Amino acid sequence: MYHSAFLLSGLVAISATADAALTRVTDFGTNPSNLQMNIYVPTKVATKPAIIVAMHGCGGTGEQYAQGTKYNSLSDTKGFITIFPSTKKDSNCWEVNTVKGLSRDAGGDNQGLVSMIKYTIQKYSADPTKVFATGSSSGCMMTNVLMATYPDVIAAGSCYSGVAAGCLAGSPGASPGSADPKCANGQNIKTQDQWVAQAKAMYPGYNGTYPRMATWHGTADTLVKIPNLGEQLKEWSGLHGVTFTKNVTNTPQSGYTQMVYGDGTKLVGYSAQGVGHTVPVHEAEDLKWFDL
């Protein structure tokens, strides 16, 4: 249970906007890897609001990701709450390579992120069935990991230019400068069964449903190469038990191809022709995917 003193922990304004401010939460519970929590709460919060956890790429911060995306202005309209966390280790890359980082409640970044979610649910009476994850590059990698390690917490994810959960397992680091380049170069190719087994090992014994996934990748990405899109789609189609159905060209815009799995409600991929690292965030499409 969360004590009242915990819920009243100090909030420090970081940067003001016209309607509300991004604030720093200094005590949100278990935080084994010393993450920073930044939260945007709109002036008019919806009843039982949804929560979006939006994660920066390597070298970035939560504050920068808040400023570089449109989630806050959309939040002012729709009333959801956005968490913009920051990690300060390994060139500000998320922990998606270690045993503890790829396990549940084991002291990784993912455990701290879930603490932020639990704090927000408690403090703002948010809807625990409407918690969503998104991110770019390393943030997309953590979206995959968060969905695999806490599938009972995250309802759906949408991410940009990342890799499958477990792709960097065992690598010495999570940053491009310290990681095993095999994963980023698109050379970590596995069967669907292998990816599924790796993801399921992150939360052994879990028999429930997995979060819905929409994942985006540019064909001209030279940092995290395009084969990683196919590996993510293998992993999540296996976890959902769906198979490829069709391609929809020029969706949601010219040069983008939507890859539909099953009836399109559990898994979709987007290939962006000629786009490098990273695919621009499509916030409106994210909100559609999250049913917000």
Side-chain angles (χ1 to χ4, degrees):
M1 292 299 293
Y2 294 84
H3 300 292
S4 57
F6 170 71
L7 294 177
L8 295 171
S9 61
L11 298 176
V12 182
I14 295 171
S15 61
T17 68
D19 296 294
L22 190 67
T23 53
R24 172 80 45 81
V25 182
T26 55
D27 182 8
F28 52 84
T30 303
N31 185 19
S33 59
N34 199 30
L35 302 180
Q36 285 183 355
M37 178 179 181
N38 310 299
I39 192 168
Y40 186 86
V41 181
T43 304
K44 293 182 180 178
V45 181
T47 303
K48 288 197 78 176
I51 298 169
I52 296 177
V53 183
M55 293 171 281
H56 62 75
C58 287
T61 66
E63 296 94 325
Q64 289 171 350
Y65 207 60
Q67 292 169 356
T69 56
K70 300 172 185 172
Y71 296 115
N72 289 348
S73 59
L74 291 165
S75 159
D76 289 332
T77 303
K78 295 183 174 283
F80 61 84
I81 293 170
T82 313
I83 299 169
F84 293 96
S86 297
T87 180
K88 302 297 183 181
K89 302 185 305 297
D90 198 13
S91 303
N92 292 20
C93 299
W94 295 99
E95 185 181 7
V96 294
N97 57 316
T98 66
V99 172
K100 63 186 173 66
L102 295 169
S103 304
R104 184 182 174 93
D105 297 341
D109 284 353
N110 55 346
Q111 186 175 8
L113 292 168
V114 170
S115 291
M116 297 181 194
I117 292 166
K118 290 177 177 177
Y119 167 92
T120 306
I121 290 170
Q122 184 76 11
K123 184 171 179 65
Y124 298 100
S125 299
D127 189 339
T129 70
K130 293 182 179 178
V131 177
F132 307 103
T134 189
S136 296
S137 191
S138 180
C140 178
M141 299 176 192
M142 178 51 83
T143 296
N144 278 266
V145 168
L146 202 56
M147 290 167 59
T149 52
Y150 293 90
D152 52 338
V153 174
I154 307 298
S158 173
C159 72
Y160 301 86
S161 312
V163 303
C167 183
L168 275 166
S171 173
S175 74
S178 61
D180 179 348
K182 187 177 177 184
C183 171
N185 286 340
Q187 297 166 335
N188 201 345
I189 305 297
K190 300 184 182 185
T191 66
Q192 183 181 72
D193 286 347
Q194 287 173 324
W195 281 122
V196 168
Q198 187 163 14
K200 288 194 169 181
M202 297 180 194
Y203 184 10
Y206 178 70
N207 293 313
T209 57
Y210 278 82
R212 299 178 290 111
M213 172 61 109
T215 185
W216 305 64
H217 220 105
T219 64
D221 193 331
T222 57
L223 185 65
V224 180
K225 294 183 179 176
I226 188 67
N228 284 297
L229 174 61
E231 300 308 292
Q232 287 179 76
L233 292 171
K234 277 187 206 172
E235 184 170 62
W236 292 102
S237 61
L239 289 167
H240 281 294
V242 292
T243 55
F244 173 77
T245 305
K246 61 182 176 180
N247 283 329
V248 185
T249 57
N250 297 318
T251 300
Q253 68 190 69
S254 178
Y256 283 60
T257 299
Q258 181 191 56
M259 290 153 276
V260 179
Y261 284 73
D263 62 4
T265 61
K266 294 178 180 178
L267 177 65
V268 292
Y270 293 92
S271 171
Q273 185 63 38
V275 175
H277 192 77
T278 61
V279 174
V281 175
H282 285 61
E283 298 92 343
E285 294 299 320
D286 290 343
L287 295 196
K288 279 190 213 169
W289 184 245
F290 299 155
D291 293 325
L292 296 180

